[in-house]
Amino acid sequence: GEDVEQSLFLSVREGDSSVINCTYTDSSSTYLYWYKQEPGAGLQLLTYIFSNMDMKQDQRLTVLLNKKDKHLSLRIADTQTGDSAIYFCAERKTGANNLFFGTGTRLTVIP
Amino acid sequence: EADIYQTPRYLVIGTGKKITLECSQTMGHDKMYWYQQDPGMELHLIHYSYGVNSTEKGDLSSESTVSRIRTEHFPLTLESARPSHTSQYLCASTSSSGANVLTFGAGSRLTVL
């Protein structure tokens, strides 16, 4: 497909793990990113992964990259109410200097 | 702490008015971008600049215009605002090196009545 795709909504209970999935478009994209947007705010970079990596872990965040399937996921361990936000994946396509964003996944954490 | 600033954060204005959304960054980034964000969350690139006196239109057609006279400043102008321009406008910047991580401003929410 031509669009970066994400599920629109995800609800999890506090303390559980959240997994947000993304399918991107360009198998030769060099970098893939996860951004978080809280209500009324801009986008904040959470993490990014270079395309030659399969996994990246940063505290409660784990990013998995499957280049063959063009699939990116973000796992948040021990999800907290403060994690409630919209999460965007983005890719930097080959030869492009801007990022292409997914539709965003609204994560709701239930106390 | 954000190093990219957008003003105004919120603007409610009548149809036909001229508006300018300001965006300034203090990081010395050469590349700057304007995204329009739908109420349904999706972001669309409307303008970008790779340096002073360089501006290009993005993927989504927009009636707005931009200018880049100084590295740190990338204002967006609507000559005659219409209700269809009601949206959230996000400014971002990045350097040319490394992972090209975009740093975003807090956004300007425009409502045209």
Side-chain angles (χ1 to χ4, degrees):
Chain A
E2 294 187 357
D3 297 327
V4 179
E5 296 182 348
Q6 300 178 237
S7 298
L8 289 181
F9 302 100
L10 176 66
S11 291
V12 299
R13 294 213 170 269
E14 189 174 16
D16 289 350
S17 292
S18 308
V19 179
I20 302 171
N21 294 301
C22 171
T23 304
Y24 60 97
T25 66
D26 185 352
S27 58
S28 58
S29 288
T30 51
Y31 288 95
L32 296 130
Y33 310 80
W34 283 104
Y35 281 84
K36 176 184 180 182
Q37 185 178 32
E38 297 185 359
L43 275 70
Q44 171 195 359
L45 178 74
L46 284 178
T47 187
Y48 65 90
I49 187 167
F50 189 50
S51 58
N52 69 352
M53 298 170 66
D54 298 323
M55 185 183 86
K56 181 178 180 180
Q57 187 157 1
D58 183 4
Q59 299 183 333
R60 292 191 298 122
L61 305 178
T62 303
V63 178
L64 295 178
L65 175 60
N66 181 330
K67 286 185 67 176
K68 175 175 168 290
D69 295 335
K70 291 182 283 187
H71 184 262
L72 183 73
S73 68
L74 174 70
R75 179 177 180 271
I76 305 172
D78 187 25
T79 312
Q80 303 296 308
T81 54
D83 295 325
S84 292
I86 301 171
Y87 292 81
F88 291 91
C89 70
E91 65 174 331
R92 181 182 158 205
K93 297 184 182 181
T94 306
N97 287 297
N98 57 296
L99 303 188
F100 293 83
F101 286 86
T103 52
T105 299
R106 184 180 295 273
L107 173 65
T108 302
V109 181
I110 304 164
Chain B
E1 194 69 31
D3 294 310
I4 181 164
Y5 304 96
Q6 291 187 241
T7 57
R9 289 291 315 279
Y10 303 93
L11 178 63
V12 180
I13 199 165
T15 296
K17 300 291 187 183
K18 178 180 177 179
I19 64 112
T20 296
L21 304 180
E22 303 286 351
C23 177
S24 295
Q25 49 95 5
T26 59
M27 298 170 283
H29 287 168
D30 48 353
K31 297 187 179 127
M32 297 189 74
Y33 306 83
W34 277 103
Y35 285 86
Q36 184 173 341
Q37 186 172 26
D38 298 340
M41 305 181 298
E42 195 165 355
L43 285 90
H44 299 283
L45 181 68
I46 52 174
H47 298 284
Y48 60 97
S49 166
Y50 291 161
V52 171
N53 294 326
S54 154
T55 61
E56 301 287 344
K57 289 190 178 295
D59 307 314
L60 180 69
S61 176
S62 174
E63 292 165 346
S64 58
T65 58
V66 291
S67 62
R68 189 89 183 276
I69 298 170
R70 302 198 317 265
T71 299
E72 62 272 19
H73 195 214
F74 191 40
L76 181 146
T77 298
L78 277 165
E79 290 292 334
S80 180
R82 293 207 303 269
S84 61
H85 297 137
T86 295
S87 192
Q88 166 97 316
Y89 293 85
L90 292 167
C91 181
S93 71
T94 186
S95 67
S96 294
S97 59
N100 277 142
V101 170
L102 287 182
T103 301
F104 280 85
S108 292
R109 181 166 294 281
L110 173 65
T111 302
V112 184
L113 303 176

